[in-house]
Amino acid sequence: MDFVLKGNLCYSEAPERLATLPDGYVVCVGGECRGTFETLPAQYAGLPLVDAGEALVMPGMNDLHLHAPQFAYRGTGMDLELIDWLNTRAYPEESKYADLDYAARAYDHFVDAMRRSATTRFCCFATLHAPATLLLMEKLEAAGLCGYVGKVSMNRYAPETLCELGDRAARDCEVWFVEAEARFAHVKPIITPRFIPSCTDALLRSLGELMRRYGAPLQSHLSENRTEIRWVEQLCPDSAGYADAYDRFGMLTPRTVMAHVVYPEPDEIELLRERGVMVAHCPASNMNIRSGIAPVRRLLKAGVRVGLGTDVAGGQTIDMFRAVTDAVQVSKLYWRLIDQRQRALTLPEAFYLATVGGGAYFGKVGTFAEGYAFDAIVVDDSGLPHPQPMTVAERLERAMYLSGECRITHKYVNGEPVLA
Ligand code: GUN
Ligand code: FE
């Protein structure tokens, strides 16, 4: 459907340049953005008009890292660190997804929340169960969302029910990958080794070969927690570091998303830049399970690609507006407590990371420039009345900080309505 969306537009032109256009027009033709206009050009005057009135209109959020099967227990079990949290919270819950009825109920809740959220595109983990993962993909596709879903690969240091056996791990991944690739148009499969401690070298080698055979994308976790990093050092004595433990299997490419990167060594930052890896910064999760603060400014200065993730259920919410303000807030603590050479992120910068930064993983996604995918949300902030005049930029900042008091009323992905 070709149409025109009218409202108070906000979108990024550059990391520190937030553009606003009160009562502006953004035009969608063939699922793509044809630009933003103060007055509607005559050539588009015949298109249907969706008038968002006083509401804010902005690009959709790109959530680069979350765990669909952990959504059900979000907001609980936050008093543990990563490894204990995996063993006592994540793994017992994920074991339940062997039961397709349980998976269907849980994933209905997840997909319904995703549909109503500010997120238009995502990279998410499922569990190692192929049938439940296909079911999740089916539901996300039916909801009109766009993104990647990974059947998790893992074969050690977990309960028996979550350890894939022998050569079957890689074979099952390939069978799932091929079926998913053929079956879905907007939800695509992504190779997903859980993290280094969960995968033997033999499994990683096979998954690396799969990546190359199919030109496939990959997602995993990198340098999240100090105990985890020490464990990886012990498990991989021949690796130059945690990033190299993936790189030696060819797993670091421009189609790779690595979550966290809280404690990168300087040579690892250089490797991530050189390989074009996308880092998913997940500030809420890093606070909740006490991992630390990722050095986002250092990554950005070095030229590493960075987007934001909620990492539900390490993060407690799929609300990406919250991820934007968490990113700003933890960067202030990083500057204050850790390194005063690393300037805090501004709100426009964090908004850029959530839209354009992470959007780059999906192609031309994340802003309203001509030729970008028409991914847009309409944000009703009328629940935040104010006696004083406010600019659109101020209203955007407040919508991020007070997201719970705002409502997403419309959402479009590739120009298709997902929420209306
Ligand atoms: N590392 C390995 N698995 C996980 C997970 O499920 N969540 C987080 N935050 N880190 C991980
Ligand atoms: Fe995670």
Side-chain angles (χ1 to χ4, degrees):
M1 186 180 74
D2 299 344
F3 67 105
V4 178
L5 183 54
K6 179 171 188 281
N8 291 301
L9 311 185
C10 0
Y11 54 96
S12 292
E13 285 177 339
E16 305 218 42
R17 206 160 68 239
L18 178 74
T20 59
L21 194 52
D23 290 320
Y25 300 86
V26 56
V27 176
C28 173
V29 174
E32 278 185 10
C33 190
R34 283 293 151 88
T36 55
F37 307 95
E38 252 179 83
T39 48
L40 190 65
Q43 66 191 114
Y44 302 125
L47 293 181
L49 179 82
V50 178
D51 190 346
E54 281 303 303
L56 300 168
V57 175
M58 63 187 79
M61 302 283 121
N62 301 299
D63 189 342
L64 285 191
H65 182 73
L66 75 167
H67 298 258
Q70 297 174 7
F71 180 75
Y73 74 85
R74 71 196 185 287
T76 68
M78 296 297 199
D79 296 322
L80 298 166
E81 284 195 43
L82 177 65
I83 306 300
D84 289 337
W85 178 83
L86 287 173
N87 287 324
T88 62
R89 309 300 305 197
Y91 293 163
E93 180 64 22
E94 291 187 25
S95 295
K96 298 177 190 169
Y97 289 72
D99 173 356
L100 212 51
D101 289 331
Y102 184 83
R105 277 186 289 141
Y107 284 153
D108 274 342
H109 297 154
F110 171 72
V111 173
D112 186 50
M114 286 290 278
R115 196 178 60 83
R116 288 183 286 106
S117 77
T119 298
T120 40
R121 299 191 193 232
F122 56 83
C123 283
C124 92
F125 281 50
T127 62
L128 55 74
H129 313 96
T133 304
L134 289 167
L135 187 67
L136 170 63
M137 297 177 85
E138 214 173 274
K139 290 178 187 295
L140 285 164
E141 173 108 347
L145 295 166
C146 211
Y148 294 97
V149 173
K151 178 198 116 50
V152 174
S153 293
M154 54 195 295
N155 67 350
R156 65 177 180 182
Y157 297 116
E160 229 171 88
T161 49
L162 290 185
C163 283
E164 301 178 289
L165 293 176
D167 296 342
R168 266 197 59 185
R171 265 210 322 278
D172 286 358
C173 181
E174 180 167 10
V175 169
W176 159 78
F177 188 93
V178 170
E179 177 172 352
E181 185 71 46
R183 243 172 86 180
F184 307 109
H186 307 297
V187 176
K188 289 293 177 182
I190 180 167
I191 309 277
T192 305
R194 181 168 209 122
F195 68 155
I196 293 288
S198 297
C199 303
T200 60
D201 282 6
L203 176 53
L204 291 171
R205 186 169 300 111
S206 304
L207 295 178
E209 282 161 13
L210 274 188
M211 271 182 89
R212 284 183 287 285
R213 193 170 323 138
Y214 295 98
L218 177 137
Q219 61 180 353
S220 194
H221 297 92
L222 174 61
S223 292
E224 177 176 5
N225 163 291
R226 286 212 157 105
T227 308
E228 171 215 19
I229 293 168
R230 276 199 304 274
W231 192 15
V232 171
E233 279 165 14
Q234 287 160 10
L235 290 169
C236 309
D238 300 329
S239 282
Y242 200 155
D244 184 58
Y246 292 111
D247 193 48
R248 68 204 161 123
F249 297 111
M251 289 182 158
L252 302 185
T253 79
R255 300 203 72 200
T256 299
V257 181
M258 282 292 167
H260 305 304
V261 194
V262 178
Y263 301 102
E265 296 295 334
D267 60 323
E268 292 185 301
I269 293 180
E270 183 46 30
L271 184 64
L272 294 174
R273 185 201 62 76
E274 206 176 294
R275 298 280 188 264
V277 169
M278 178 69 78
V279 170
H281 173 43
C282 307
S285 170
N286 297 160
M287 288 189 277
N288 287 327
I289 54 177
R290 288 179 268 165
S291 301
I293 307 175
V296 173
R297 178 67 69 195
R298 280 174 58 210
L299 296 172
L300 292 173
K301 279 185 192 164
V304 175
R305 302 160 77 206
V306 180
L308 300 184
T310 61
D311 194 25
V312 155
Q316 75 278 21
T317 173
I318 60 166
D319 178 1
M320 280 290 290
F321 290 178
R322 180 66 188 263
V324 168
T325 56
D326 283 344
V328 170
Q329 290 176 325
V330 301
S331 76
K332 292 174 179 173
L333 292 178
Y334 190 90
W335 169 80
R336 173 61 71 194
L337 301 174
I338 300 176
D339 185 351
Q340 303 209 341
R341 291 167 304 180
Q342 312 306 337
R343 192 163 54 82
L345 296 180
T346 61
L347 194 284
E349 282 182 297
F351 180 76
Y352 177 92
L353 294 182
T355 54
V356 187
Y361 187 72
F362 305 94
K364 286 183 87 172
V365 169
T367 188
F368 288 154
E370 179 157 14
Y372 274 69
F374 193 92
D375 290 5
I377 52 176
V378 175
V379 182
D380 175 0
D381 66 346
S382 62
L384 295 166
H386 46 92
Q388 83 281 33
M390 281 183 100
T391 64
V392 172
E394 286 169 333
R395 286 173 57 196
L396 172 80
E397 181 172 13
R398 209 157 69 144
M400 299 288 125
Y401 277 98
L402 299 171
S403 59
E405 295 171 61
C406 297
R407 214 163 49 90
I408 314 294
T409 58
H410 299 67
K411 175 153 86 176
Y412 303 89
V413 182
N414 288 321
E416 295 288 337
V418 170
L419 187 66

